[in-house]
Amino acid sequence: MEMKIEDYLAQGGQLTSPGNVPPRYRGELMRLMASFVDSELAGAAGFADTINDAPGIRNRIAAAKITQEKLDHAGRVLEVMGEFGADTARYDTRHDWAARMARDADLDAARHGDDMRLSVFHYPIAGYVDAVVLNVLMGLATVVQLHEMGRVSYAPLADAFREIAPREAAHVDLGLKGLRQIVGDDAGRQKAAQSVAYWLPKVEASFGQAGSARFEKQARLGLRHTENETLREDWAGRVADAMSPLGLG
Amino acid sequence: MARFLPLRVTELRRDTRDAVVVTLQPRPEDAGAFDFTQGQYLTFRREFDGEELRRSYSICAGRDDGVLRVGIKRVDGGAFSTWANEELQAGMELEAMAPMGRFHTDLDGAVAKHYLGVAAGSGITPVLSIIKTTLAREPKSRFTLIYANRSVNSIMFREELEDLKNLYLGRFSVIHILKSEGQEIDLFTGRIDAEKMAALFENWIDPESLDAAFICGPEGLMLTVADSLREAGLEDGQIKFELFASSQPGRAKKKAVSRDSAQAGEATEAVVTLDGATRSFRMPKQGETLLDAALAQDMDAPFACKAGVCSTCRAKVLEGEAEMAVNHALEDYEVAQGYVLTCQCYPLTDRIVVSYDE
């Protein structure tokens, strides 16, 4: 009845504790978790200014809720990293998560600097409308990615992602509500259209390259299931569905 | 960082020929730390031949039993489990970390749910904790257990399961599957495979009535049962796993004996293994970490924080010596076995052999 862990994973098996993961699986899994945690921490730090920028108490509460929950999501996944030995108390103090590069910086999709945030989180947000647009576009990407990550072969992480997914989806709904208010007049719509043009390619790049070698490696370990290209198409469809009714298609 | 606390063995009961049930008592000041959730496990540590070994064993007590208790089945060649079965006695002290693991679902006294447990061999241990806690805390819920064993004599917690059936009449049922002993019903003989699961769903358990399933055992069982449950209509979120890996090493390998430390040269010959492939290159002893040197060679070495905090870049030094500038993630016993955080690691010797695969 003995079976190699690699074969077990290739057949869709799940691992359940730090004690039964092989070393290279551990490395890839930690990397994947760090990328999520760093992106949530950087995302929350960038979005925090929106709490002050948002017009009206309701919109500010929405911005505060989104910021708070993204930090909470980072904390939940960091807790899983902690079970592998990561120092959870030190983890978030090692970077200035609010730091951003220039608005017109030309970053490719690769990681920059010493953290694992997606490159889209290196770009600064320019005011409330810009924040709402990024929240919707990136939120839809997160929904697609979390659907994929809910199938990850490390069961405690899959559980965490499944708990996080509906709350990230709710952030998109809050964003769409804000966006509907914004496109209510021509000036708002124009501003939003500019932000869509700015963020769309940057969020798109966060899906990674087609035919990536890393995908192959992660797929063998059950850490990924759907190709980058397919996820990107799923996202593009959702963006079109959300943006067309607002005249931003 | 993980902290080990002392636990006194207050009772040791032989359950089967190959398994003991150990009752443990924390110091009064540690009682809070050992307040567990059903389905969790304890990680113990003990030195064997001067080397620290850590092993995890599931808690078999329910949350309302008022005791902390684990089941330890002896595995062939397993240093810790053999010691626990042959030498451990009441009155002795063990060291363990606070309970860990997420093999559970939230309970709610108001709901009426139907749970399924599928366990093989010692995989029953956490499932027993879940069964006891669920039946006590959800008075309207019921639990069905499918429990696979070699023979009647190897069934762990056999009497305890019978007692639970009587205590929770009509709410708890057990289907024993025995590999090498014929039973009145053919379906209950042999091993759990896709066919048997399908037959069980057809004749004994209505899969549509199931709210959640808990599977605990070796790899093959997990795959088979999870597939069957998905086919029967359960969502991934309704299926909870705890893997009892069959290939757990019995004993940590000895650290490679290092040559004289701190040699004179400025550069090091680094030999790095990653994903089964080995590369050699020269790197300076100072100014560049082993991780950065490997990345500069286009090796796809794992890393995340580069600050000695997250442990993603962990690797093992097989030959030679290195020092770490910062280490917030590896514990002393890992360092003693030769593990390093490569993002913080500078070679001290003229040659260093490192593997990310161990």
Side-chain angles (χ1 to χ4, degrees), chain A residues 152-173:
Chain A
V152 74
S153 55
Y154 189 63
L157 182 61
D159 285 343
F161 280 142
R162 279 197 289 263
E163 282 167 24
I164 289 168
R167 306 207 315 176
E168 289 285 342
H171 294 175
V172 177
D173 291 338

Short mmCIF file of all heavy atoms in Angstrom, two decimals, chain A residues 152-173:
data_model
loop_
_atom_site.label_atom_id
_atom_site.label_comp_id
_atom_site.label_asym_id
_atom_site.label_seq_id
_atom_site.Cartn_x
_atom_site.Cartn_y
_atom_site.Cartn_z
N VAL A 152 -5.75 23.90 -4.35
CA VAL A 152 -4.34 23.63 -4.09
C VAL A 152 -4.18 22.37 -3.22
O VAL A 152 -5.03 22.08 -2.38
CB VAL A 152 -3.69 24.88 -3.44
CG1 VAL A 152 -4.11 25.03 -2.00
CG2 VAL A 152 -2.19 24.86 -3.57
N SER A 153 -3.11 21.61 -3.44
CA SER A 153 -3.01 20.28 -2.82
C SER A 153 -2.63 20.32 -1.34
O SER A 153 -2.61 19.28 -0.70
CB SER A 153 -2.00 19.41 -3.59
OG SER A 153 -0.75 20.08 -3.66
N TYR A 154 -2.30 21.49 -0.80
CA TYR A 154 -2.06 21.55 0.65
C TYR A 154 -3.39 21.93 1.32
O TYR A 154 -3.84 23.08 1.26
CB TYR A 154 -0.96 22.56 0.99
CG TYR A 154 -0.56 22.47 2.44
CD1 TYR A 154 0.00 21.29 2.95
CD2 TYR A 154 -0.78 23.51 3.32
CE1 TYR A 154 0.33 21.17 4.28
CE2 TYR A 154 -0.45 23.40 4.66
CZ TYR A 154 0.11 22.23 5.13
OH TYR A 154 0.42 22.10 6.46
N ALA A 155 -4.03 20.94 1.94
CA ALA A 155 -5.41 21.09 2.39
C ALA A 155 -5.65 22.29 3.32
O ALA A 155 -6.63 23.02 3.14
CB ALA A 155 -5.90 19.79 3.02
N PRO A 156 -4.77 22.53 4.32
CA PRO A 156 -5.04 23.68 5.19
C PRO A 156 -5.04 25.02 4.42
O PRO A 156 -5.79 25.94 4.76
CB PRO A 156 -3.88 23.64 6.20
CG PRO A 156 -3.47 22.21 6.22
CD PRO A 156 -3.64 21.73 4.82
N LEU A 157 -4.21 25.11 3.38
CA LEU A 157 -4.19 26.33 2.58
C LEU A 157 -5.43 26.42 1.69
O LEU A 157 -6.02 27.49 1.55
CB LEU A 157 -2.91 26.38 1.72
CG LEU A 157 -2.74 27.64 0.89
CD1 LEU A 157 -2.66 28.88 1.77
CD2 LEU A 157 -1.52 27.55 -0.02
N ALA A 158 -5.83 25.29 1.11
CA ALA A 158 -7.05 25.27 0.28
C ALA A 158 -8.24 25.72 1.13
O ALA A 158 -9.07 26.51 0.68
CB ALA A 158 -7.29 23.88 -0.29
N ASP A 159 -8.30 25.25 2.37
CA ASP A 159 -9.38 25.65 3.28
C ASP A 159 -9.35 27.16 3.50
O ASP A 159 -10.38 27.84 3.46
CB ASP A 159 -9.25 24.96 4.63
CG ASP A 159 -9.66 23.49 4.56
OD1 ASP A 159 -10.33 23.11 3.58
OD2 ASP A 159 -9.32 22.73 5.48
N ALA A 160 -8.15 27.69 3.76
CA ALA A 160 -8.03 29.13 4.01
C ALA A 160 -8.48 29.92 2.79
O ALA A 160 -9.24 30.89 2.91
CB ALA A 160 -6.57 29.48 4.36
N PHE A 161 -8.06 29.48 1.60
CA PHE A 161 -8.44 30.21 0.38
C PHE A 161 -9.95 30.13 0.14
O PHE A 161 -10.56 31.08 -0.32
CB PHE A 161 -7.68 29.65 -0.84
CG PHE A 161 -6.27 30.18 -0.94
CD1 PHE A 161 -5.24 29.36 -1.36
CD2 PHE A 161 -5.97 31.50 -0.64
CE1 PHE A 161 -3.94 29.83 -1.48
CE2 PHE A 161 -4.67 31.98 -0.74
CZ PHE A 161 -3.65 31.15 -1.16
N ARG A 162 -10.54 28.99 0.46
CA ARG A 162 -11.99 28.86 0.26
C ARG A 162 -12.75 29.79 1.21
O ARG A 162 -13.83 30.27 0.88
CB ARG A 162 -12.43 27.41 0.43
CG ARG A 162 -12.20 26.58 -0.82
CD ARG A 162 -13.00 25.29 -0.77
NE ARG A 162 -12.44 24.38 0.21
CZ ARG A 162 -11.60 23.40 -0.09
NH1 ARG A 162 -11.25 23.19 -1.34
NH2 ARG A 162 -11.14 22.61 0.84
N GLU A 163 -12.20 30.01 2.40
CA GLU A 163 -12.85 30.95 3.33
C GLU A 163 -12.69 32.39 2.87
O GLU A 163 -13.56 33.22 3.05
CB GLU A 163 -12.23 30.81 4.73
CG GLU A 163 -12.72 29.59 5.49
CD GLU A 163 -11.87 29.31 6.73
OE1 GLU A 163 -11.22 30.26 7.24
OE2 GLU A 163 -11.84 28.15 7.16
N ILE A 164 -11.53 32.67 2.27
CA ILE A 164 -11.22 34.03 1.84
C ILE A 164 -12.02 34.41 0.60
O ILE A 164 -12.45 35.56 0.46
CB ILE A 164 -9.69 34.14 1.56
CG1 ILE A 164 -8.92 34.08 2.89
CG2 ILE A 164 -9.37 35.40 0.79
CD1 ILE A 164 -7.41 33.90 2.71
N ALA A 165 -12.24 33.45 -0.31
CA ALA A 165 -12.80 33.73 -1.64
C ALA A 165 -14.10 34.56 -1.61
O ALA A 165 -14.19 35.57 -2.31
CB ALA A 165 -12.99 32.44 -2.42
N PRO A 166 -15.11 34.18 -0.82
CA PRO A 166 -16.36 34.96 -0.88
C PRO A 166 -16.18 36.41 -0.40
O PRO A 166 -16.87 37.31 -0.86
CB PRO A 166 -17.33 34.19 0.02
CG PRO A 166 -16.51 33.23 0.80
CD PRO A 166 -15.25 32.99 0.03
N ARG A 167 -15.24 36.62 0.52
CA ARG A 167 -15.03 37.98 1.01
C ARG A 167 -14.32 38.83 -0.03
O ARG A 167 -14.60 40.02 -0.18
CB ARG A 167 -14.26 37.94 2.33
CG ARG A 167 -14.95 37.01 3.35
CD ARG A 167 -14.69 37.36 4.76
NE ARG A 167 -13.32 37.65 5.05
CZ ARG A 167 -12.91 38.05 6.25
NH1 ARG A 167 -13.79 38.20 7.22
NH2 ARG A 167 -11.65 38.30 6.48
N GLU A 168 -13.39 38.23 -0.78
CA GLU A 168 -12.74 38.98 -1.87
C GLU A 168 -13.77 39.29 -2.95
O GLU A 168 -13.73 40.36 -3.57
CB GLU A 168 -11.55 38.19 -2.43
CG GLU A 168 -10.34 38.11 -1.49
CD GLU A 168 -9.54 39.42 -1.43
OE1 GLU A 168 -9.68 40.29 -2.32
OE2 GLU A 168 -8.77 39.59 -0.46
N ALA A 169 -14.70 38.35 -3.19
CA ALA A 169 -15.75 38.60 -4.18
C ALA A 169 -16.62 39.78 -3.74
O ALA A 169 -17.05 40.59 -4.56
CB ALA A 169 -16.59 37.35 -4.39
N ALA A 170 -16.85 39.87 -2.43
CA ALA A 170 -17.66 40.98 -1.90
C ALA A 170 -16.95 42.32 -2.10
O ALA A 170 -17.59 43.36 -2.28
CB ALA A 170 -17.97 40.75 -0.43
N HIS A 171 -15.60 42.30 -2.09
CA HIS A 171 -14.85 43.54 -2.34
C HIS A 171 -15.11 44.04 -3.76
O HIS A 171 -15.18 45.25 -4.00
CB HIS A 171 -13.34 43.32 -2.16
CG HIS A 171 -12.95 43.00 -0.74
ND1 HIS A 171 -11.67 42.68 -0.37
CD2 HIS A 171 -13.69 42.93 0.40
CE1 HIS A 171 -11.64 42.43 0.92
NE2 HIS A 171 -12.86 42.57 1.41
N VAL A 172 -15.24 43.11 -4.71
CA VAL A 172 -15.55 43.50 -6.08
C VAL A 172 -16.93 44.16 -6.13
O VAL A 172 -17.12 45.20 -6.78
CB VAL A 172 -15.50 42.28 -7.03
CG1 VAL A 172 -15.89 42.69 -8.44
CG2 VAL A 172 -14.12 41.65 -7.02
N ASP A 173 -17.89 43.57 -5.42
CA ASP A 173 -19.24 44.14 -5.41
C ASP A 173 -19.24 45.56 -4.84
O ASP A 173 -19.91 46.45 -5.36
CB ASP A 173 -20.19 43.26 -4.60
CG ASP A 173 -20.44 41.92 -5.31
OD1 ASP A 173 -20.23 41.87 -6.54
OD2 ASP A 173 -20.81 40.95 -4.63
#
